[in-house]
Amino acid sequence: MIYKLIYLLLIGLFFISTFINKNNLFNDINSSVDNFNIRFNKDIQILKNEIDFLNTTKKSLPFVNYTVAENITYFDIDGSGVYFKNITSHPNQFNFYNLKEAKENLNSKFDNSLLFIVYNNIRSLKNDRKVIYTDDFSQTWVKILQKGALNFDVFQNKRSISRNNTEFALYNFYTDRAHEKEMFTIIFPEYDYFNNSQKLRALWYFDFDPNFFAKNTDRLKRNLGLNTCIIDGDYKVVYSTNKNQASKIKNIHNFYIFPLEKTNYKILVEKETIFQIIKAKEVFLIGFIFFLVFYINKKEKLKKELHSLKMINKIKSELLLREPLTSLYNRYFLQEEMVFPINNCGIVLLDIDHFKNINDTFGHDKGDHVLKAVSNCIKLVSVGSADAFRWGGEEFLIIFKDTDKENVLNKVNTLQKLIKDLNILDNYKITASFGVIYTNIKDKSSFYSAVSKADKNLYTAKKTGRDKVVAF
């Protein structure tokens, strides 16, 4: 009983300890995600500072050597692109931003995940007149801008910049048409203020590849030991520490979900398995519990085996060692249970006379009744130090142990009379023939030799008229 109480106590300790580990892990997840958001906000501030720096270092350059394609006027300045869209008159000069220098400065902080910068100077949303600057010059931009790229009507509403009307917006994962690369965009709006109202003046676009999130996301996985991914507002995976992660999250319930602050992006941390919250002490408890269970079960099993040994022996005797119809021993008993030597032994082999005629005349059911009746007679005379067997068919064997010849003959004569007195078949007297020998048996070989001699005496009894005893 005390072992069961200890067992239950250990199980309780295991679940309590596992519950504590789970709570600690969840606290670690919350803390690590908070740190992730802090680092993300620092990265955003770096971008914002760079914009402020570029605004203070812009240069005024003459408006020369340009090319016109339909509604786009464009030219190249040291590999940087300047594009005017829907302008009716060309200015004498314009403000130039050295975006290449800004990109080189930022790349050292963002692991080269920044693909390019676009500065979109919105002159008028209503008439769609724009000045667009990129950190690389490409005529591909001309075709894209002709189709209306960077025409973000959403920015007409100042409160659509982000959920909290903050200073930047993060836009969903997409494939850029100019460079055919997967990326996402961080956008910073700039406003003019007139009569206490805001008017959108310009937008800064920072385009990044997914590795923008690699450093912080990989750190999150190292801290927690759990795969982590960043998804956009359409549940598309922007970056994942699991290289086999599908491109779109289908079952969000497999993750803990946290907002990426001030954006519509989310941080997903996969839910832990039982093995990730089981520590060394829980492993020890599990091992000890299994040992205790094994010990208790072994002890209970041994106890049951000891209590049921007599029953098992009885079943073995009844089912394995006895012939089912007569309940006398079978030959398996001779092979497995017979103990030699046997001294002063009487071997009696008997055969029911004309048993085939009984089956043919009265049927096999009646024949089985005769076999049972004869076996009951044999049991009466073999009580004590004798073993009785159904030797085969209508033949029976009795082994009288530690007796004398006279007693053996008395038992056989009594058995012969009991069989004659059976009255279970109409107008038919049941009789049996007997072959008897008296000897000492040393081993199994001498036993079968003795049975063979008794069989010869039985044969003589049957040949000389049946219902006889031929002895010694």
Side-chain angles (χ1 to χ4, degrees):
M1 184 64 182
I2 189 170
Y3 291 112
K4 291 184 177 180
L5 291 175
I6 295 173
Y7 167 65
L8 293 173
L9 177 62
L10 288 174
I11 291 178
L13 286 174
F14 170 77
F15 281 107
I16 290 171
S17 183
T18 303
F19 177 76
I20 292 172
N21 288 344
K22 181 178 176 64
N23 281 346
N24 290 339
L25 177 61
F26 190 71
N27 290 336
D28 289 342
I29 291 173
N30 278 289
S31 176
S32 297
V33 170
D34 288 342
N35 290 332
F36 184 102
N37 275 309
I38 289 171
R39 287 189 291 268
F40 174 73
N41 285 327
K42 286 182 179 179
D43 291 341
I44 294 299
Q45 191 58 47
I46 290 172
L47 296 177
K48 187 65 170 64
N49 292 342
E50 197 66 21
I51 292 171
D52 294 340
F53 172 77
L54 283 170
N55 276 326
T56 59
T57 58
K58 62 186 176 183
K59 299 177 182 180
S60 294
L61 297 179
F63 191 86
V64 294
N65 299 326
Y66 57 83
T67 303
V68 179
E70 296 184 10
N71 62 336
I72 304 296
T73 300
Y74 62 95
F75 52 92
D76 175 12
I77 301 178
D78 297 329
S80 296
V82 182
Y83 307 86
F84 290 80
K85 183 174 181 179
N86 293 339
I87 61 172
T88 55
S89 61
H90 298 155
N92 294 324
Q93 61 183 21
F94 67 97
N95 293 323
F96 175 70
Y97 299 84
N98 194 339
L99 302 179
K100 283 194 170 184
E101 182 180 336
K103 179 179 178 179
E104 290 172 0
N105 180 53
L106 285 170
N107 274 347
S108 63
K109 297 181 178 66
F110 294 104
D111 298 327
N112 295 317
S113 58
L114 179 66
L115 297 174
F116 48 82
I117 304 172
V118 173
Y119 175 77
N120 180 19
N121 185 8
I122 300 174
R123 293 296 180 87
S124 171
L125 281 170
K126 183 176 181 181
N127 298 317
D128 198 23
R129 293 198 298 271
K130 299 179 182 179
V131 182
I132 299 167
Y133 304 85
T134 72
D135 71 324
D136 65 328
F137 176 77
S138 171
Q139 291 192 4
T140 306
W141 276 99
V142 176
K143 296 178 182 179
I144 292 173
L145 293 172
Q146 286 174 341
K147 296 178 181 178
L150 303 178
N151 183 17
F152 283 84
D153 293 337
V154 67
F155 290 104
Q156 294 182 64
N157 178 1
K158 64 181 180 180
R159 293 196 174 275
S160 66
I161 295 300
S162 71
R163 293 179 301 174
N164 300 320
N165 192 27
T166 52
E167 70 278 12
F168 74 95
L170 190 64
Y171 275 82
N172 288 4
F173 212 38
Y174 72 103
T175 300
D176 177 73
R177 286 184 291 173
H179 298 80
E180 297 299 326
K181 293 181 180 179
E182 282 194 327
M183 62 186 71
F184 59 91
T185 302
I186 297 176
I187 300 175
F188 293 85
E190 290 185 346
Y191 296 100
D192 286 330
Y193 292 86
F194 298 99
N195 299 323
N196 294 323
S197 63
Q198 288 181 324
K199 182 179 181 181
L200 187 62
R201 181 180 76 249
L203 299 173
W204 286 91
Y205 297 80
F206 290 81
D207 286 326
F208 291 90
D209 68 17
N211 287 324
F212 173 80
F213 288 110
K215 180 172 63 177
N216 291 332
T217 310
D218 291 345
R219 182 188 286 114
L220 200 59
K221 180 184 178 180
R222 287 195 301 271
N223 291 342
L224 302 173
L226 301 170
N227 277 315
T228 304
C229 66
I230 308 296
I231 62 171
D232 64 18
D234 296 325
Y235 292 88
K236 190 173 182 181
V237 175
V238 178
Y239 181 80
S240 176
T241 58
N242 180 3
K243 303 307 178 185
N244 296 321
Q245 180 68 60
S247 60
K248 194 167 185 177
I249 298 296
K250 294 183 179 179
N251 192 351
I252 201 75
H253 301 294
N254 293 333
F255 300 88
Y256 294 114
I257 308 167
F258 302 91
L260 184 60
E261 288 186 358
K262 304 176 184 177
T263 74
N264 66 340
Y265 279 44
K266 291 179 177 63
I267 305 168
L268 302 186
V269 180
E270 71 174 355
K271 291 184 178 178
E272 72 284 350
T273 64
I274 184 64
F275 300 105
Q276 289 167 310
I277 59 176
I278 294 178
K279 308 298 181 184
K281 60 181 181 297
E282 286 78 36
V283 172
F284 172 78
L285 276 174
I286 290 175
F288 193 73
I289 288 170
F290 276 113
F291 171 77
L292 195 61
V293 170
F294 174 80
Y295 177 79
I296 292 173
N297 288 341
K298 193 73 175 176
K299 187 176 179 181
E300 290 293 328
K301 184 178 179 182
L302 182 61
K303 187 177 179 181
K304 289 179 181 179
E305 286 177 353
L306 290 174
H307 281 294
S308 62
L309 185 59
K310 289 183 179 180
M311 184 63 69
I312 292 172
N313 286 336
K314 183 178 180 181
I315 292 172
K316 181 180 178 182
S317 176
E318 293 296 327
L319 299 181
L320 296 180
L321 305 178
R322 293 187 181 274
E323 192 273 325
L325 179 65
T326 63
S327 296
L328 297 177
Y329 288 130
N330 55 29
R331 295 199 182 199
Y332 182 74
F333 178 90
L334 289 171
Q335 296 173 4
E336 301 297 327
E337 300 292 332
M338 201 74 171
V339 179
F340 300 100
I342 306 173
N343 296 319
N344 303 317
C345 174
I347 303 292
V348 178
L349 199 62
L350 66 103
D351 186 284
I352 300 173
D353 293 332
H354 305 296
F355 184 73
K356 184 178 183 302
N357 185 47
I358 293 173
N359 278 334
D360 292 342
T361 304
F362 299 96
H364 288 279
D365 287 343
K366 288 292 185 180
D368 287 346
H369 284 304
V370 171
L371 290 172
K372 289 180 180 180
V374 171
S375 66
N376 288 335
C377 295
I378 292 171
K379 290 173 187 176
L380 288 174
V381 300
S382 62
V383 174
S385 58
D387 294 327
F389 301 82
R390 184 180 178 185
W391 197 241
E394 67 273 20
E395 228 175 23
F396 299 87
L397 174 70
I398 308 171
I399 303 172
F400 294 98
K401 303 175 183 178
D402 296 318
T403 187
D404 54 37
K405 290 183 178 181
E406 184 179 354
N407 184 49
V408 171
L409 284 176
N410 288 337
K411 294 280 188 181
V412 170
N413 290 330
T414 299
L415 177 58
Q416 185 182 30
K417 185 175 185 307
L418 288 172
I419 293 172
K420 284 182 179 181
D421 290 342
L422 290 174
N423 186 20
I424 57 175
L425 297 177
D426 294 337
N427 302 318
Y428 190 91
K429 181 67 67 177
I430 300 170
T431 61
S433 301
F434 298 81
V436 184
I437 69 162
Y438 187 83
T439 184
N440 292 324
I441 299 174
K442 296 180 180 180
D443 51 29
K444 190 177 290 187
S445 176
S446 61
F447 168 76
Y448 281 108
S449 177
V451 171
S452 178
K453 292 177 182 178
D455 189 49
K456 289 180 180 178
N457 288 345
L458 173 62
Y459 180 76
T460 300
K462 292 166 71 174
K463 290 291 286 182
T464 57
R466 302 180 187 273
D467 189 23
K468 289 186 177 182
V469 177
V470 177
F472 313 131

